[in-house]
Amino acid sequence: MDISYNKDIGTKQKALAINLDPEIYGSFAEIGAGQEVAANFFKAGASSGTIAKTMSAYDMTVSDAIYGELKVKRYVSESRLMAMLEHEYGLVIERLAKQRGDNTTFFAFSDTVSTLNYHKTNEAHGWMGLRFQLEPNGAFNDVIIHVKLLDNDSNQQQQAVGVLGTNLIYACFYYHATPNIFLLSLMDELSKDRIQIDMIRFEGPNFEKVDNRLMSLHLVKYGFSDAALFGPDGENQQPSEALYKKHIVVIRGRFRPLINVHTDMLNTGVKQFKAEADVDKKNVAVICELTLQALKERNADESAEIDEKDFLDRVDILCSLGQTVLISNFHEYYKLVAYLSKITPLKMGVVLGYPNLEYIFSEEHYKDLPGGILESFATLFSRNVKLFIYPTLRNGVIMNCLRFYPPPHLIDLYRYLIANNKIEDISNYNETNLHVQTDIVLQLIKQGVTGWEQYVPAEVAEIIRKRCLFGYPCEVPTDHQLEEPKDEKAIN
């Protein structure tokens, strides 16, 4: 059923192609944005060839009666969407399998959406998904997405939902074997200033080779979303649901590889954050963040491609240590904080090394902002956020907040932030870690030099050896093949 990708095929053409396919048949259940997806199939013509039923349980009591009561009364949620898919697909199979199951691939499409209210005070977003077969009497697959609606008009948002839903159904049946094309096709007849797709999950026998973590990366890489999140189990998560009303601690890094200094930064930073008087230590989410820039080799140009295997290697290590991973397109810290502040009103902590403190106070990074560094600081520090600074060793001197001297005209601003508890040194760190540099450890790993294991957590060393990650030679080279790293002094 796969066909070549044609980005110029329109919504009506997609709906008509499905309507004319004699094997595809199923139901539509839509809540919150009209029945815009089903309407596209009705308007395209020949809809009787595709649509077994359409429905919309708008009333919450009616919705609960059909799909079951929610423990948390959030009707625009993944849990409600999954209940809808389970119920509707079950009915399709129950009522139609005996009659036409031998020559039909059944599906159930569902969405639950919140468009702008009259006063435009709510978050416009939605969940949609398709449960579908790719062969008669076959097992079902699921594709689930979360979308943010950015139009400033509810009618336009409804139209966008209709287009996206049609694109999703078409992609499931015609692009399922090519996940990258699948993703790109979701934006057909849409634009990035109208919607953001910040979560997608592929499940089922026909998607066994699809890595959902890689799909998260592609969402950010293609500009469909500014950020994507997945948990230690590798399952994609929707940031607003996973981090809802939680304290957040985030540490940014390349993690190539993750070494002892990273774990010390994280452990000491999180411990110090939880000790804050206004933090509920039982309600803290810890995130390791990778930016698109960090996924590229240093000194690479902006057009450089991301090494997907290298990305997955880093993620595997972070997840093996129980970490939640965020991929983002936020090069500047103030953009990251602004994004997370929309998810939670609670206090946040940002753990960063001393060189990043210097970076934040470097005005050259804010030339594109009309208000320059003050505008960025208004975004970064006006939120309920605190920076925790991990020291750096330079020429035998430990550099920390006390030894940081910004340009003269920013000294008073820096003192103000220190005095108002916005920036703080991390204490009780392991000083021996300050002698270790990530790049040198990476060089030792690539060369197979004995002893690199002492600079990384034991679990990380085991994974690197077993899977030969980061260029580690599975067959250890002989002595004459080893080349001493130029900066070996940095780790002695």
Side-chain angles (χ1 to χ4, degrees):
M1 206 179 280
D2 296 331
I3 59 177
S4 60
Y5 177 47
N6 178 5
K7 67 178 180 179
D8 295 323
I9 185 172
T11 303
K12 184 175 181 180
Q13 292 171 290
K14 288 185 176 183
L16 181 59
I18 291 173
N19 284 347
L20 294 176
D21 191 320
E23 287 192 352
I24 302 175
Y25 200 65
S27 68
F28 294 78
E30 301 181 68
I31 300 175
Q35 290 189 286
E36 295 293 326
V37 180
N40 283 332
F41 289 85
F42 281 124
K43 294 174 184 177
S47 58
S48 62
T50 296
I51 300 176
K53 181 187 78 171
T54 68
M55 71 167 297
S56 185
Y58 265 70
D59 185 90
M60 293 181 184
T61 303
V62 172
S63 181
D64 284 346
I66 297 172
Y67 303 119
E69 291 192 25
L70 294 167
K71 292 182 179 179
V72 179
K73 296 295 183 179
R74 298 180 70 195
Y75 287 85
V76 183
S77 64
E78 185 178 10
S79 57
R80 174 52 88 207
L81 174 70
M82 297 310 297
M84 294 170 69
L85 288 175
E86 183 76 24
H87 179 82
E88 299 299 338
Y89 185 80
L91 288 181
V92 169
I93 298 298
E94 177 187 327
R95 294 170 178 174
L96 298 173
K98 289 183 180 180
Q99 177 187 354
R100 54 185 299 171
D102 291 339
N103 55 15
T104 301
T105 54
F106 293 117
F107 74 87
F109 172 85
S110 297
D111 66 42
T112 174
V113 180
S114 174
T115 56
L116 282 176
N117 60 26
Y118 179 78
H119 297 288
K120 300 182 179 181
T121 56
N122 64 316
E123 178 191 6
H125 71 113
W127 289 89
M128 66 172 60
L130 190 75
R131 178 163 290 186
F132 63 103
Q133 298 172 322
L134 285 174
E135 57 183 24
N137 297 313
F140 65 79
N141 305 279
D142 286 343
V143 179
I144 309 298
I145 65 176
H146 180 268
V147 58
K148 293 183 177 180
L149 305 171
L150 307 180
D151 286 310
N152 199 35
D153 175 81
S154 60
N155 290 328
Q156 289 296 311
Q157 291 180 348
Q158 290 175 11
Q159 189 267 343
V161 168
V163 173
L164 179 60
T166 304
N167 288 343
L168 174 62
I169 296 171
Y170 189 85
C172 286
F173 285 107
Y174 296 112
Y175 300 140
H176 57 268
T178 50
N180 287 358
I181 289 177
F182 188 114
L183 286 183
L184 291 170
S185 74
L186 294 178
M187 295 295 284
D188 289 350
E189 291 200 339
L190 293 167
S191 60
K192 297 166 188 174
D193 60 349
R194 295 195 66 190
I195 68 168
Q196 281 197 347
I197 302 171
D198 63 358
M199 201 287 290
I200 188 165
R201 185 175 70 250
F202 296 83
E203 292 181 332
N206 294 102
F207 295 122
E208 288 181 350
K209 295 182 179 180
V210 175
D211 193 314
N212 283 310
R213 300 168 304 172
L214 210 51
M215 296 301 103
S216 292
L217 172 63
H218 288 159
L219 288 178
V220 181
K221 179 181 175 181
Y222 294 153
F224 291 3
S225 177
D226 291 323
L229 184 77
F230 48 87
D233 58 0
E235 289 295 322
N236 291 8
Q237 300 178 354
Q238 201 283 316
S240 295
E241 287 207 351
L243 305 176
Y244 182 66
K245 291 187 177 180
K246 290 183 179 293
H247 294 285
I248 299 172
V249 182
V250 60
I251 177 171
R252 170 180 290 182
R254 287 190 304 145
F255 306 114
R256 193 171 187 266
L258 183 142
I259 64 175
N260 291 332
V261 70
H262 294 132
T263 56
D264 193 44
M265 281 180 66
L266 189 60
N267 293 336
T268 54
V270 170
K271 182 178 180 180
Q272 212 157 308
F273 176 78
K274 287 183 175 180
E276 295 282 301
D278 52 351
V279 171
D280 177 3
K281 62 182 179 181
K282 296 181 180 179
N283 188 36
V284 175
V286 180
I287 298 173
C288 293
E289 185 210 15
L290 288 162
T291 67
L292 289 189
Q293 292 83 357
L295 290 173
K296 299 174 181 179
E297 287 288 350
R298 283 187 178 174
N299 302 320
D301 60 67
E302 288 297 319
S303 62
E305 285 296 314
I306 294 170
D307 184 335
E308 293 181 351
K309 181 185 181 302
D310 180 77
F311 160 72
L312 290 176
D313 290 345
R314 301 189 219 185
V315 170
D316 282 346
I317 285 178
L318 289 169
C319 290
S320 73
L321 297 176
Q323 299 302 325
T324 297
V325 179
L326 180 76
I327 311 162
S328 87
N329 201 23
F330 303 124
H331 193 51
E332 307 297 344
Y333 277 100
Y334 75 90
K335 294 179 181 178
L336 172 64
V337 168
Y339 170 79
L340 294 175
S341 295
K342 293 178 182 178
I343 297 174
T344 180
L346 302 181
K347 187 170 186 176
M348 294 182 291
V350 181
V351 180
L352 61 160
Y354 177 85
N356 283 312
L357 177 63
E358 296 176 316
Y359 179 94
I360 287 172
F361 274 83
S362 179
E363 292 183 276
E364 65 184 72
H365 302 302
Y366 312 110
K367 292 179 180 178
D368 294 336
L369 291 178
I373 192 171
L374 289 181
E375 182 175 340
S376 74
F377 276 27
T379 301
L380 176 59
F381 292 109
S382 64
R383 269 68 174 178
N384 193 6
V385 64
K386 184 172 181 178
L387 307 187
F388 295 87
I389 311 301
Y390 193 87
T392 292
L393 186 66
R394 285 183 184 167
N395 300 319
V397 178
I398 295 177
M399 305 301 294
N400 56 20
C401 291
L402 295 176
R403 290 193 169 96
F404 175 61
Y405 296 98
H409 62 288
L410 296 178
I411 289 177
D412 288 340
L413 176 59
Y414 178 64
R415 289 173 176 170
Y416 170 84
L417 294 171
I418 293 289
N420 284 273
N421 203 33
K422 290 290 186 178
I423 302 176
E424 179 178 287
D425 273 322
I426 287 178
S427 56
N428 298 320
Y429 56 88
N430 187 340
E431 188 173 337
T432 60
N433 289 325
L434 302 185
H435 299 267
V436 182
Q437 296 180 14
T438 306
D439 289 340
I440 303 303
V441 175
L442 179 62
Q443 190 176 356
L444 293 175
I445 291 172
K446 287 180 177 180
Q447 295 179 350
V449 174
T450 302
W452 61 266
E453 295 90 344
Q454 65 183 299
Y455 305 117
V456 303
E459 309 96 305
V460 175
E462 185 68 14
I463 294 173
I464 292 174
R465 284 196 302 264
K466 280 187 175 181
R467 297 176 53 182
C468 305
L469 304 184
F470 306 117
Y472 177 72
C474 291
E475 294 183 8
V476 180
T478 57
D479 291 342
H480 73 276
Q481 291 176 305
L482 296 178
E483 177 185 344
E484 291 298 318
K486 296 179 182 179
D487 300 316
E488 192 176 5
K489 292 181 180 178
I491 60 172
N492 286 337

